Every structure is written in structure tokens, then in C-alpha cells.
Amino acid sequence: AGSMAVATVNLRAVTSWVGIARLFAVVLSCVAFSLVASTRAFGGPYGTWCMFTWCFCFTVTLLVLVLELLELYPKLPLSWDDFTSAFAMLAALMVFTASVVFPSTFISSPCSSSKCARQAVATTASCLCFLAYALEVGLTRAKPGDISSFLSSVPGLLKVFEAYVACLIFSLLDTYSSEAGLRWCVAVYSICFIITFLIIIFTIGRCLAYMPFPLEKMLVGYNALALAMYLTATVLWPLYSFRGQTRPSSCGRSCWWDRHLGITFLTIFNLIAYLVDLVYSTKMVFIRAP
């Protein structure tokens, strides 16, 4: 029994470059949330988001390491490569956001107290954690022509990026019911997010193989449609949001103007992402070796 237990341990899970990147991510995310927790200054939605990000990434990455170390992941009813690739991309985006939001919200200048020093070290650990996840994404990215793991390819990684940016847009939305143009933009964000999210979930759950139509061509068509919809939102959102209005002089940190400006830039980011996604998915369908 002892020899069988030893035989099922896969040491490459922690000695390969991907495993080492995950170990660094676990340690650095743990350092980040431990230091911030020790300051007891992480109240409000932004602090809660940052703490959730570090704890969530720490927990899931540790679980991935354990499942690979004990070789238990083949028993799970999901595509493991797709899941780990999608999670690494999501974690990189979440930790990057936390690395920007936390210092801009909680660290004040001059930084001389012990509490501020711990917050600064936590920010540094968070930035290094982002680099660890970015390294994992780079190491696990599918080579050109390899379609065995869709979410590790460039279009698959872009799907995760598109869904995450849409979530950021939703977090900034406040009032939009006054104008039909703004309601259309919210419909664009919602429809594209739902379809992109379903593509990710179905890929991880190995459900796309049961679709009664050519998946690759469907993705090309969807990307073209999403690109056209986001193009309209890129024009209509700033047009209806800022028409005849300048930034109020008394605008604070949660000013509606800043939120709408953030949505404008995020819409442009997703427009570019869907454009690149369309180019890559078209190449995968029409320029591919038999």
C-alpha cells in the first residue's frame, strides 16, 4: 500500500516550471492577504474585493497543486487543461486589478507608519503574484496549430479576458435607464458576457463536442457579431454619457463621470479583444493544416 501511495505522487507537479510558478503564486498571495489582514484596514467594497482575490487565488491554486501532485485530476468530469489555463488567466487579471486598486485606495503619502509599510509589502507581493500567474499563462499557452485545449489558445485566453472586462463594466454601471442608447450598450455588455461565459463553461465541461453544428465556424460568426455590437457600444456609450456635460468640479472618488469614463475605456479594451479574437479564430478555421 505504501509503495502504491508513493507511485501515485507526481513530483513534476511542483518541480516543473509551471509547478514552480504555481508555488510562487500560492506563497505570494498568502503573503499579500496575511499582511493586509494584519493591518485590519481593508474595509469597503475595494478592500473586500482585494482580499477575496488573494484568498480565492491562493485556495484554488493550492487545490490545483494538490490534485496534480496526487494525480487525482483525471477523475474530475472536466477538461483539466482548459480549466487550469482559464483559471491562470482569470487569476492574472484579478490579481493585476487588486495590485492597482489596493495601493490607490489604501496607501496614502507619505508612507512612514508600520501599517503603511505592511500595505506596501503586500502590494509588492501582489505584483509579483501577478507575474507568477502571467508566467503560468505563458508556459501553458497552446502552440500554434494545437487545438487540443481551446482555452489555452489565444482565442480561448481572450474569451476569459472578454468575460472579465465585462464584469468590470458591470461593477461600474450605475444609472443608464434614461437613454435608449445607454440601455442598448448595457444589452451589448450583457449578451456578449453571457455567451462568452457559456463558451468557457461548456469548454471546461466538455460539452461543446455535443453541439449539432461546426463549433469553429460558430465561434467565428459569434466573434464577428460581438465585434459589431461592441463597435456600436464604443460609439454610443460616450455619446450618450457625456453629451452636453462636463466633469463636475465637486466630483469625488466615486463620481459618476469617472465611472462612465472607466466604462468607455473598458468598452474599447473589449472591442480590441474581440477584434484580435476574430482574427485568430478565423486563422484557426481557414488557415490550418489538415
Side-chain angles (χ1 to χ4, degrees), residues 8-271:
T8 58
V9 173
N10 177 22
L11 291 179
R12 278 193 55 79
V14 292
T15 58
S16 64
W17 285 112
V18 174
I20 292 171
R22 288 171 180 163
L23 285 173
F24 271 106
V26 166
V27 173
L28 292 166
S29 58
C30 181
V31 169
F33 74 71
S34 299
L35 286 173
V36 173
S38 70
T39 65
R40 298 183 180 178
F42 53 89
Y46 294 123
T48 303
W49 160 253
C50 294
M51 284 294 283
F52 167 77
T53 293
W54 295 319
C55 294
F56 171 73
C57 293
F58 166 81
T59 304
V60 177
T61 306
L62 185 61
L63 181 62
V64 167
L65 279 171
V66 171
L67 290 174
E68 289 210 345
L69 186 65
L70 301 179
E71 293 192 334
L72 297 175
Y73 64 90
K75 297 179 171 56
L76 299 176
L78 51 82
S79 173
W80 184 251
D81 289 340
D82 284 311
F83 169 73
T84 53
S85 296
F87 170 73
M89 184 65 177
L90 176 63
L93 294 170
M94 291 176 68
V95 174
F96 175 78
T97 306
S99 301
V100 174
V101 169
F102 181 77
S104 62
T105 306
F106 291 96
I107 297 181
S108 56
S109 180
C111 183
S112 56
S113 64
S114 170
K115 170 184 164 184
C116 185
R118 280 178 283 172
Q119 291 173 329
V121 174
T123 301
T124 304
S126 183
C127 293
L128 293 174
C129 185
F130 158 70
L131 293 178
Y133 281 118
L135 176 62
E136 181 183 349
V137 171
L139 290 171
T140 57
R141 188 171 72 86
K143 304 297 184 293
D146 180 12
I147 58 170
S148 59
S149 175
F150 171 69
L151 292 181
S152 64
S153 65
V154 172
L157 295 173
L158 284 171
K159 288 284 180 289
V160 180
F161 177 85
E162 292 153 4
Y164 182 75
V165 171
C167 289
L168 293 181
I169 290 174
F170 295 144
S171 71
L172 295 175
L173 285 173
D174 44 16
T175 56
Y176 55 86
S177 58
S178 58
E179 298 279 1
L182 297 182
R183 291 199 295 270
W184 163 253
C185 293
V186 175
V188 169
Y189 304 143
S190 303
I191 293 170
C192 292
F193 168 75
I194 291 171
I195 297 176
T196 301
F197 182 72
L198 288 176
I199 291 173
I200 295 171
I201 295 300
F202 286 171
T203 302
I204 294 174
R206 296 174 177 169
C207 300
L208 292 178
Y210 301 104
M211 295 292 179
F213 41 77
L215 174 63
E216 295 88 352
K217 293 181 179 178
M218 184 273 289
L219 289 175
V220 173
Y222 164 65
N223 289 332
L225 177 62
L227 178 65
M229 293 173 69
Y230 259 91
L231 186 60
T232 64
T234 303
V235 175
L236 293 177
W237 181 266
L239 178 67
Y240 282 94
S241 292
F242 307 115
R243 185 175 53 184
Q245 302 184 69
T246 58
R247 190 179 191 276
S249 57
S250 59
C251 231
R253 175 170 286 176
S254 59
C255 176
W256 68 268
W257 175 276
D258 295 339
R259 297 167 74 91
H260 284 207
L261 184 63
I263 292 173
T264 301
F265 281 108
L266 291 172
T267 303
I268 295 172
F269 291 160
N270 249 2
L271 174 69

